[in-house]
Amino acid sequence: MTDPATAALWPGERTEAARRLLLAAVDSFARRGYHATTTRDIATAAGMSPAALYIHYPSKAALLAEISRTGHRATLDLVERAEASSTDPVAQMRALAESFTTWHARGHTVGRIVNHELHALPEEDFAAVAELRIRIEETVLRIIAHGVAEGAFQVPDQRTAARAVTSLGIDVSRWYTERSSESPEELGRRYGQLVLRMLGAPAAAIEG
Amino acid sequence: MTDPATAALWPGERTEAARRLLLAAVDSFARRGYHATTTRDIATAAGMSPAALYIHYPSKAALLAEISRTGHRATLDLVERAEASSTDPVAQMRALAESFTTWHARGHTVGRIVNHELHALPEEDFAAVAELRIRIEETVLRIIAHGVAEGAFQVPDQRTAARAVTSLGIDVSRWYTERSSESPEELGRRYGQLVLRMLGAPAAAIEG
């Protein structure tokens, strides 16, 4: 059940037991929803006792917080890398839309949890994740403003456009499945073009 | 807690008790998620006994199915009305994107349930809703194909573009709240322009 992008979120830096619990939590939350999942469900799915779970995580909410923080951190990294990859706003935005879309297709299971269970986060964790979300949105907005200033984009309302760019990528995790006809990379490529068009980039730049 | 769009989904045609149960189910599913909600929660929120609930609905799943069917039926109606409103594909698509976006902003609570709890529907109800979803997508696709044939749109991959148009509108129900800075109608207007741009409509037609 674990998609490769989910597994890639927690590489060697954690103990094997913590990693197994995070993966079991993702699977359980995806299957039953956060509220209907018990710590016992997660422990069982990870092949542990509830007592063993509590050695690593004090609560179900702590697991959700870790999943949500790591997922948001990973997407913020993508977005910042896209901005750093070029000084040309068209190239920056193409890289951003492609990698953001591909991530949400490949990691659709964790993407759904990270984006749809925000309201279940404890207050402090919610604040930390909200901060990461703001940084993602501000990066998108900065690239748009840069493109408008250079005459590469035509955007009547930059904040709404930035919201639409992130929304389009995030929603991929709601509808994408392994049965979808395009690979995550192909979908990313097509969405990159749609986003550049939405921002009013000239056709010649989009094809490039 | 009930937003006006949710209340508008079930006008006078139902008994007052059925209507109260549907509204209570929407509020409960939105607050706790479908799986963690019990029929007792819904009955209590509607000011009834669980036994009184069963007179109207045999199960929690039957309530979800009715909410999902009505929500999808309402959005299919919007989309078909937009197509019927004009013979010009630019005008059709503008009307579609505007009304679809506005509906998902105004009815964000029911929109989230209808789009995020699909997997919880009993098989038969899922099939009925999937049929409505296909008809929505096919209407969007027909308008795009019509626009491409007339030279009003430039779209390299029509199916991906149709998916992006519906996805952008649906995802509004995930992030929109009454605290959002734009009204549902203003957001609809801006999204109408973004969608037309994404489909490669000429700037002069978009401003019109």
Side-chain angles (χ1 to χ4, degrees):
Chain A
M1 295 298 293
T2 305
D3 59 54
T6 304
L9 282 178
W10 303 290
E13 71 205 49
R14 277 177 191 76
T15 65
E16 174 56 24
R19 223 172 146 262
R20 239 160 61 213
L21 285 167
L22 289 164
L23 295 174
V26 167
D27 280 351
S28 306
F29 296 159
R31 195 166 309 134
R32 265 180 290 260
Y34 174 77
H35 290 287
T37 298
T38 64
T39 47
R40 178 174 293 275
D41 294 331
I42 299 169
T44 305
M48 292 182 200
S49 67
L53 180 150
Y54 290 119
I55 296 172
H56 301 278
Y57 292 96
S59 63
K60 177 174 80 156
L63 278 156
L64 178 66
E66 173 112 25
I67 292 163
S68 195
R69 242 191 339 259
T70 330
H72 279 90
R73 188 68 243 180
T75 48
L76 175 60
D77 284 351
L78 289 180
V79 157
E80 290 185 338
R81 267 206 300 278
E83 190 184 28
S85 70
S86 172
T87 53
D88 168 22
V90 172
Q92 290 173 323
M93 185 54 77
R94 187 197 306 275
L96 187 152
E98 285 186 357
S99 61
F100 196 70
T101 301
T102 300
W103 191 91
H104 283 90
R106 202 182 301 124
H108 58 89
T109 310
V110 85
R112 263 197 298 270
I113 293 163
V114 155
N115 287 297
H116 296 169
E117 305 283 12
L118 279 180
H119 54 280
L121 287 172
E123 201 171 334
E124 212 170 292
D125 299 298
F126 181 85
V129 165
E131 170 68 25
L132 294 171
R133 292 177 80 88
I134 289 169
R135 288 174 60 191
I136 292 170
E137 194 98 356
E138 293 297 328
T139 308
V140 175
L141 196 54
R142 208 159 45 232
I143 299 175
I144 292 177
H146 175 194
V148 168
E150 288 201 356
F153 297 149
Q154 309 289 329
V155 180
D157 182 83
Q158 299 185 19
R159 200 160 279 280
T160 303
R163 175 65 81 144
V165 169
T166 53
S167 174
L168 207 50
I170 287 171
D171 197 50
V172 166
S173 68
R174 179 185 55 80
W175 63 261
Y176 191 87
T177 74
E178 276 73 26
R179 296 184 308 281
S180 295
S181 56
E182 317 95 329
S183 68
E185 291 72 21
E186 175 59 20
L187 185 69
R189 202 188 57 74
R190 294 183 189 176
Y191 264 46
Q193 296 194 346
L194 289 172
V195 161
L196 288 178
R197 214 183 265 272
M198 190 165 77
L199 299 177
I206 296 172
E207 299 310 318
Chain B
M1 294 298 291
T2 306
D3 58 52
T6 305
L9 281 178
W10 303 290
E13 71 204 51
R14 277 177 191 76
T15 64
E16 174 56 26
R19 222 171 148 262
R20 238 157 65 212
L21 285 167
L22 289 164
L23 295 174
V26 167
D27 280 352
S28 306
F29 296 159
R31 196 167 305 137
R32 267 179 289 259
Y34 174 77
H35 290 288
T37 299
T38 63
T39 47
R40 178 174 293 275
D41 294 332
I42 299 168
T44 305
M48 293 184 201
S49 67
L53 180 151
Y54 290 120
I55 295 173
H56 301 279
Y57 291 97
S59 64
K60 176 174 80 155
L63 277 155
L64 178 66
E66 171 112 26
I67 292 163
S68 195
R69 244 193 335 261
T70 329
H72 280 90
R73 187 68 243 181
T75 48
L76 175 60
D77 284 351
L78 289 180
V79 158
E80 290 185 337
R81 266 205 302 277
E83 191 185 28
S85 69
S86 173
T87 54
D88 168 24
V90 172
Q92 290 173 323
M93 185 54 79
R94 187 197 306 274
L96 189 152
E98 286 186 356
S99 61
F100 197 69
T101 301
T102 300
W103 191 92
H104 283 89
R106 201 181 302 125
H108 59 87
T109 309
V110 85
R112 263 198 298 270
I113 294 164
V114 154
N115 287 297
H116 297 168
E117 304 284 12
L118 278 180
H119 55 279
L121 287 173
E123 202 170 332
E124 212 169 293
D125 298 299
F126 181 85
V129 165
E131 170 67 25
L132 294 171
R133 292 177 82 87
I134 289 169
R135 286 174 59 190
I136 292 170
E137 195 98 356
E138 293 298 329
T139 307
V140 175
L141 196 54
R142 207 158 47 230
I143 298 175
I144 293 177
H146 176 192
V148 169
E150 288 201 357
F153 298 149
Q154 308 288 330
V155 180
D157 183 82
Q158 298 186 18
R159 201 161 278 280
T160 302
R163 175 67 82 148
V165 169
T166 53
S167 173
L168 207 48
I170 287 171
D171 197 49
V172 166
S173 68
R174 179 185 55 79
W175 63 262
Y176 192 87
T177 74
E178 275 73 27
R179 297 184 306 282
S180 296
S181 56
E182 317 95 328
S183 68
E185 292 71 22
E186 176 57 22
L187 186 70
R189 203 188 56 76
R190 295 184 189 175
Y191 265 46
Q193 296 194 346
L194 290 172
V195 161
L196 288 178
R197 215 184 266 271
M198 190 165 77
L199 299 176
I206 295 172
E207 300 310 319

